[in-house]
Amino acid sequence: MIYLDNSSTTKIDPEVLEAMLPYLQDEYGNPSSSHYTLAKNAKRAVEEAREKLASLINAKSEEIIFTAGASESNNFVIKGVSDYKKMYEKSGNHIITSKVEHKSVLQVCRFLNGEIYMNNEKKRLGKIITPQVDRGYEVDFLDVNEYGQVTLDTLESTIKDNTSLISLIWGNNEIGSLNDIATLSKLAKQRNITFHSDATQVLGKLTIDVDKISADYLSFSAHKLYGPKGVGAVYMRKPKRTPVDITSLIHGGYQENFYRAGTHAVHNIVGFGKAAEIAKRDLAKNIEKLEKLELQAKEMIKAKYPNVEFLGDPNNHIPGLIGMIIPGIVNEMFIKERCEDLAISAGSACGIGEPSYVINEIGYGNVSSSFVRLSLCKHNNMNDIHILLK
Ligand code: PLP
């Protein structure tokens, strides 16, 4: 099997699995329990993982909150900040996001905007949904440029006196374009507006230094980083937060500083920590490898399909993510025919079976069924690309 769908999920790293196993076997203590050794070992393991993830993004460990994945992190930040600002600070109820966010941002924003949230997403297709209930929030979904990026001008012209939260994706999961988070978050800071970015696709793919951006919150997920599924995190900038300005996600015990109650999934958190440690250690090497492989792959694809169009910002995108239109192919059929030995994707894993809204937003709606995404990882090599092309 040639696996080229690493934006969807990655294969767990053997070093990560090895680090996790003791916490599924002999080290089964509850980190929130009493002061006996088994519990203390689990607590130490959770805290070490927190330090490792913090170190990857140049944050402090107390700025990391573990969650069950990036969807949860996005829900937590957007609902939590919005609720806190409206209910406690009385400081605004206007949220700004973009039209090409991951669904775990888009749907929360639609929910807060008062749209009826149906469980069967298919029922929503093609419909213009108008607000159905008044939850007390207003949301603006920003247009993007031809590469799927939000420009400073678009953001600036949408900010209002009651804007309380801006949430913009860092690296797009379908076409790989990067938003200029440093610049966009700086504007938010100047206007005293909380800024969140879904950084799920960029962790371990580029250098994240929280001192170089003004974001207050970032979302992450371990399984995009050769870690386990079911664990994610929120980076929450600390200095100005006294004592909280986000409503808890899960009310209950005191875990995760009261923000997310519930017994820690110690093995998963340890796995995330190990994955972060490895990502930091190998970051430069991995970026170089992915950039080179991507370039070669693109040349070979172009040679075979001269009409191919690579989407996204060629100079500013996630290394190894190739989103392209191959005229004449029907992506789902193309993939089905080869699915036993080849894993590539027709879009995001959360939107399977639907035409991609990201492709639509950047003006390729009429050919969205010819969209194919390859997302390479550190384990891929040129042989994989040769087999793909065959
Ligand atoms: N945000 C982005 C940009 C993603 O690509 C994904 C995963 O597909 C998520 C959020 C959701 O991550 P998780 O699977 O951990 O909930």
Side-chain angles (χ1 to χ4, degrees):
M1 152 73 79
I2 306 296
Y3 187 78
L4 301 173
D5 194 20
N6 292 280
S7 294
S8 157
T9 196
T10 53
K11 183 175 177 183
I12 200 160
D13 207 305
E15 285 182 77
V16 170
L17 182 62
E18 198 190 334
M20 291 170 67
L21 282 176
Y23 297 92
L24 285 162
Q25 294 168 324
D26 299 336
E27 295 290 351
Y28 53 83
N30 184 334
S32 311
S33 202
S34 301
H35 293 285
Y36 51 83
T37 306
L38 212 54
K40 279 200 292 191
N41 288 352
K43 185 168 170 48
R44 193 180 316 116
V46 167
E47 294 317 313
E48 280 174 8
R50 203 185 304 281
E51 277 164 30
K52 286 173 185 168
L53 177 56
S55 163
L56 177 59
I57 60 169
N58 193 27
K60 302 179 200 67
S61 58
E62 63 269 26
E63 294 177 312
I64 301 294
I65 303 292
F66 286 115
T67 65
S71 297
E72 185 177 301
S73 299
N74 288 337
N75 272 258
F76 170 39
V77 175
I78 297 170
K79 286 183 183 161
V81 170
S82 301
D83 179 71
Y84 193 86
K85 298 237 164 186
K86 184 159 80 81
M87 302 301 290
Y88 302 100
E89 284 185 354
K90 315 271 184 221
S91 62
N93 60 346
H94 177 231
I95 301 160
I96 300 178
T97 187
S98 85
K99 290 183 177 166
V100 300
E101 298 298 310
H102 186 264
K103 280 202 165 179
S104 56
V105 168
L106 277 182
Q107 298 293 61
V108 189
C109 289
R110 287 177 178 152
F111 168 81
L112 294 177
N113 203 27
E115 295 171 13
I116 295 283
Y117 197 107
M118 293 192 202
N119 285 333
N120 183 352
E121 279 303 307
K122 293 215 161 93
K123 286 189 190 148
R124 296 166 59 95
L125 276 183
K127 281 189 193 162
I128 296 168
I129 300 162
T130 47
Q132 303 286 317
V133 288
D134 185 3
R135 291 188 202 278
Y137 299 99
E138 287 172 57
V139 186
D140 270 311
F141 298 87
L142 301 182
D143 287 326
V144 289
N145 68 11
E146 80 228 77
Y147 296 139
Q149 294 151 320
V150 171
T151 65
L152 192 62
D153 285 351
T154 309
L155 179 61
E156 194 157 23
S157 62
T158 313
I159 290 175
K160 303 200 286 190
D161 287 348
N162 62 335
T163 304
S164 50
L165 174 68
I166 298 169
S167 177
L168 297 173
I169 194 165
W170 196 323
N172 188 276
N173 49 306
E174 295 199 27
I175 55 173
S177 293
L178 300 174
N179 268 323
D180 182 355
I181 293 301
T183 305
L184 297 165
S185 63
K186 192 169 157 204
L187 174 67
K189 192 178 177 191
Q190 283 161 356
R191 304 292 179 90
N192 205 16
I193 300 166
T194 301
F195 189 95
H196 164 247
S197 181
D198 177 357
T200 307
Q201 289 289 348
V202 297
L203 190 66
K205 311 256 181 57
L206 49 90
T207 304
I208 299 181
D209 180 344
V210 295
D211 282 350
K212 301 223 163 91
I213 55 174
S214 305
D216 301 290
Y217 296 94
L218 299 172
S219 298
F220 304 114
S221 184
H223 73 101
K224 311 285 183 182
L225 188 76
Y226 316 102
K229 294 169 184 60
V231 58
V234 167
Y235 159 75
M236 189 186 279
R237 193 178 291 278
K238 271 284 172 232
K240 65 176 186 156
R241 314 216 163 274
T242 48
V244 283
D245 63 2
I246 181 168
T247 303
S248 294
L249 170 70
I250 300 177
H251 299 273
Y254 62 84
Q255 291 91 350
E256 296 305 292
N257 212 7
F258 295 97
Y259 291 122
R260 186 185 189 274
T263 303
H264 292 96
V266 179
H267 57 298
N268 271 347
I269 291 172
V270 166
F272 196 0
K274 189 69 189 175
E277 181 184 71
I278 297 169
K280 185 173 176 186
R281 183 189 71 198
D282 297 343
L283 188 64
K285 188 172 82 181
N286 288 344
I287 293 175
E288 194 188 331
K289 177 175 181 181
L290 284 175
E291 282 179 347
K292 206 163 143 196
L293 200 56
E294 178 195 317
L295 201 69
Q296 288 172 317
K298 279 180 167 167
E299 278 168 12
M300 287 166 64
I301 294 166
K302 192 88 190 159
K304 177 150 184 171
Y305 298 100
N307 295 333
V308 74
E309 241 187 287
F310 297 112
L311 307 182
D313 186 340
N315 302 315
N316 206 6
H317 69 273
I318 300 172
L321 199 160
I322 306 176
M324 59 192 165
I325 301 285
I326 307 181
I329 68 149
V330 179
N331 51 17
E332 294 292 0
M333 265 163 58
F334 185 79
I335 291 164
K336 249 186 224 158
E337 278 167 18
R338 293 160 179 82
C339 65
E340 290 294 323
D341 54 359
L342 183 64
I344 59 174
S345 157
S348 117
C350 293
I352 281 306
E354 297 170 13
S356 158
Y357 54 87
V358 175
I359 305 308
N360 200 32
E361 290 303 328
I362 60 167
Y364 287 84
N366 57 338
V367 285
S368 64
S369 61
S370 298
F371 174 70
V372 174
R373 178 186 72 184
L374 309 180
S375 41
L376 313 175
C377 77
K378 62 180 182 180
H379 306 300
N380 291 125
N381 52 41
M382 276 314 290
N383 195 37
D384 296 339
I385 309 297
H386 282 293
I387 296 173
L388 163 82
L389 283 165
K390 235 196 259 167

